Amino acid sequence: MKAVILAGGLGTRLQPYTFFIPKPMLPLGNKPLLEYTIEWLRNAGGIKEIVICVSYLHRTIEDYFEDGSRFNVKIDYARAERPLATAGQLKTAEKMLADDTFVCVYGDSVYEFNLRKMLKMHSESKAFVSMALMHYSTKLKYGFIDVDGSDITGWREKPEISGLINIGCYVMEPGFLKAIPKAGAFGMDDAVRNALAQKKKVKAFEVDGTGFIDIGDKKSYLDAYKQFASRLGKI
């Protein structure tokens, strides 16, 4: 089985850190973020063939990981001349994937859950796509006012909402690639909605809060950096 890592985004929410370093290469502890993802795919999923979809500052990634032999994996690169959104990036790797099930992960997050368990669920359920999800809740900073016509019927001050969120790890059947347009930006949300519209089986694999670390913006990156630096111990 192969894995595809989507690592071609601009990382705009992490500027100015990402002006000269692609987001997946930002340091966490003593390694770049992307190295943790490769180690996780190898150790938690037994995957040793990886395609990295690159675009923005791609040479930084290619020069560091090369063919993957230093990391006990085989790495190929699918290069796009411009960012293509998540599913568009994935499409660039189509010719490098055999006609078999594959894993797709975003290159800007840290995953620490049991990938083999997710692969087993996907296989046993005969899913078209499986998505890793995590429970998330947030408190809104505004109060919601309920109305019936022009009559106010209730006031919910800063309510909390909760649900399952996508954490950017998928197990996919090769047919999923055929639903992605050949050119242009196309989001993974659009591709999954297309699969649902075609009545394909899309399964959820729930991950607890310890199995995923988001690196979405400067605050979450700095929080993660401190966490990984602390793992190194005192120098």
Side-chain angles (χ1 to χ4, degrees):
M1 183 179 292
K2 290 187 178 183
V4 180
I5 303 175
L6 307 183
L10 296 174
T12 52
R13 289 185 295 166
L14 275 162
Q15 292 174 352
Y17 304 146
T18 51
F19 280 148
F20 304 106
I21 302 174
K23 185 177 177 181
M25 294 301 290
L26 289 172
L28 280 181
N30 60 346
K31 302 174 186 178
L33 167 58
L34 188 54
E35 189 170 341
Y36 290 99
T37 304
I38 289 170
E39 289 176 348
W40 174 74
L41 287 168
R42 185 192 66 215
N43 297 333
I47 296 172
K48 292 190 175 181
E49 292 188 58
I50 296 170
V51 180
I52 305 179
C53 297
V54 295
S55 180
Y56 176 64
L57 299 175
H58 60 86
R59 288 295 298 272
T60 306
I61 296 172
E62 293 169 5
D63 289 349
Y64 184 87
F65 290 102
E66 298 177 319
D67 65 357
S69 56
R70 286 194 299 122
F71 308 93
N72 296 316
V73 295
K74 180 181 181 296
I75 296 177
D76 292 307
Y77 299 91
R79 188 184 302 165
E81 297 303 317
R82 59 189 177 87
L84 295 170
T86 45
Q89 281 186 63
L90 173 60
K91 186 73 172 180
T92 65
E94 185 171 17
K95 292 181 180 179
M96 300 180 182
L97 298 171
D99 193 24
D100 196 7
T101 306
F102 64 94
V103 174
C104 175
V105 295
Y106 297 169
D108 57 0
S109 299
V110 178
Y111 303 98
E112 296 181 328
F113 66 89
N114 189 334
L115 179 57
R116 283 186 175 88
K117 190 174 179 181
M118 183 178 180
L119 291 170
K120 186 173 184 288
M121 183 214 73
H122 177 86
S123 175
E124 290 178 350
S125 66
K126 295 180 169 53
F128 186 64
V129 181
S130 294
M131 298 175 58
L133 308 177
M134 185 180 76
H135 191 270
Y136 177 80
S137 61
T138 186
K139 195 169 187 177
L140 301 179
K141 65 178 182 177
Y142 299 109
F144 275 17
I145 307 300
D146 300 316
V147 298
D148 182 6
S150 61
D151 296 329
I152 293 176
T153 59
W155 183 330
R156 292 174 286 151
E157 183 58 20
K158 298 177 183 175
E160 183 174 276
I161 58 173
S162 62
L164 292 168
I165 62 168
N166 172 33
I167 63 171
C169 176
Y170 311 84
V171 184
M172 297 173 166
E173 294 304 305
F176 184 82
L177 293 162
K178 296 178 174 59
I180 303 171
K182 290 184 178 180
F186 200 72
M188 199 69 77
D189 55 330
D190 294 318
V192 172
R193 275 194 287 264
N194 284 350
L196 290 168
Q198 295 168 16
K199 306 299 183 184
K200 299 291 188 181
K201 184 183 287 188
V202 181
K203 298 290 288 184
F205 180 81
E206 290 191 36
V207 174
D208 66 32
T210 63
F212 169 72
I213 301 173
D214 179 39
I215 315 289
D217 53 26
K218 287 191 280 288
K219 182 183 183 304
S220 60
Y221 168 61
L222 290 173
D223 288 344
Y225 181 85
K226 292 174 185 176
Q227 178 180 335
F228 277 80
S230 69
R231 295 182 185 182
L232 297 177
K234 293 182 179 180
I235 298 175

